[in-house]
Amino acid sequence: GERRPVVVCQHGLEGRPRDLADPKIDSPYYHRFAARLAEEGFVTYAPQNPYIGEDRFRVIQREGHPLRLSLFSFVLGQHERTLDWLAGLEFVDPNRIGFYGLSYGGKTAVRVPPLLDGYALSICSGDFNEWVWKNTSIQSKYSYLLTGEYDMIEFNFANVVNYSDLANLMAPRPFMVERGHDDVVAPDEWVAYEYAKTRWFYDMKMKMPEATAIEFFSGPHTIHGQGTFEFLRQHLHWPP
């Protein structure tokens, strides 16, 4: 009869759920974090997101734009049904479902949980960014204009929001960023600059500074699983 908190653990580009959840696989990116959280007593679920198959999934983005849709329009629908299913399980507390994603899973963390009330918190790992610079610079080595991820260019995004605005939509629910100093998705300065606006919003506007956090750690594009695990324990009310 016990109902426990859930952490939805999301892989990145070209990932598979087993990379996170199989205790026999120690991926350099994920370090079995879904399995580790399960060992702590959380219910964990690792869904398959559609960003896999090299350029095949990017066709969805190209075909969606004329219909005012994006790849994440479909991911959003997927997670709506995921939350319905999880909430119906007899061992799940539907009020304590958190999200934790790395890389493209971090992109999901700022695009999906803010729009779905069923998520009690969200953690963005290895992705939080000054997204307008990231998508428009022709000089920075971090720019998506210089890489193969053309699916990252989202119609009219820069005129409407940036990552801090998406993160602020989580409020009053908790939101956290996990950032490795050696992560090549962006320099620390970009991440800190954009997160400062979210920190200001939670502190000054929402009067709840304890509901947001950022952890910088010495490491690359990977799940660190230290401050984030503590954040999950605190805000999903599951003591170690």
Side-chain angles (χ1 to χ4, degrees):
E2 182 182 4
R3 289 183 176 269
R4 294 194 176 197
V6 180
V7 183
V8 175
C9 303
Q10 193 64 69
H11 63 80
L13 182 64
E14 302 294 340
R16 290 291 192 186
R18 62 174 174 265
D19 300 332
L20 295 61
D22 189 336
K24 298 179 182 178
I25 297 176
D26 188 10
S27 161
Y29 304 108
Y30 305 109
H31 301 298
R32 300 187 295 259
F33 79 101
R36 288 162 53 202
L37 286 167
E39 289 169 355
E40 292 204 9
F42 291 97
V43 175
T44 62
Y45 176 62
Q48 177 71 59
N49 267 11
Y51 36 73
I52 193 168
E54 298 180 352
D55 275 353
R56 283 180 291 175
F57 79 85
R58 294 185 168 98
V59 174
I60 301 173
Q61 184 85 322
R62 292 176 59 192
E63 294 181 341
H65 275 175
L67 303 176
R68 298 184 180 182
L69 299 172
S70 74
L71 177 69
F72 282 95
S73 301
F74 302 98
V75 176
L76 188 69
Q78 172 189 347
H79 281 261
E80 283 183 308
R81 299 288 73 78
T82 293
L83 288 168
D84 288 343
W85 171 67
L86 287 171
L89 298 176
E90 61 183 10
F91 50 84
V92 165
D93 183 346
N95 296 313
R96 290 187 291 167
I97 302 177
F99 185 95
Y100 185 1
L102 172 71
S103 196
Y104 266 59
K107 300 183 201 310
T108 309
V110 297
R111 289 168 173 82
V112 171
L115 303 180
L116 298 179
D117 292 340
Y119 278 117
L121 63 78
S122 183
I123 299 176
C124 174
S125 179
D127 185 69
F128 200 84
N129 229 303
E130 211 296 357
W131 202 246
V132 178
W133 296 349
K134 176 80 171 172
N135 280 275
T136 59
S137 175
I138 60 173
Q139 297 176 322
S140 172
K141 65 180 180 180
Y142 302 102
S143 175
Y144 273 130
L145 292 181
L146 306 176
T147 70
E149 288 94 347
Y150 65 83
D151 56 294
M152 286 295 97
I153 310 301
E154 296 166 295
F155 181 76
N156 208 33
F157 190 100
N159 288 325
V160 180
V161 292
N162 207 329
Y163 260 36
S164 60
D165 303 292
L166 295 175
N168 293 350
L169 293 174
M170 278 300 296
R173 297 167 293 165
F175 176 80
M176 183 175 180
V177 173
E178 184 176 51
R179 160 70 191 177
H181 286 306
D182 296 326
D183 194 330
V184 297
V185 302
D188 280 346
E189 293 81 358
W190 286 19
V191 178
Y193 168 82
E194 189 64 17
Y195 175 75
K197 293 183 279 185
T198 292
R199 174 71 186 182
W200 180 88
F201 179 80
Y202 270 84
D203 194 352
M204 298 297 292
K205 293 297 185 181
M206 300 301 298
K207 307 300 182 185
M208 48 191 316
E210 73 286 347
T212 189
I214 187 169
E215 181 187 35
F216 290 93
F217 66 93
S218 181
H221 188 68
T222 186
I223 292 287
H224 186 53
Q226 299 296 320
T228 51
F229 277 35
E230 180 55 37
F231 194 79
L232 289 166
R233 296 184 198 109
Q234 176 186 353
H235 293 288
L236 294 181
H237 310 295
W238 189 252

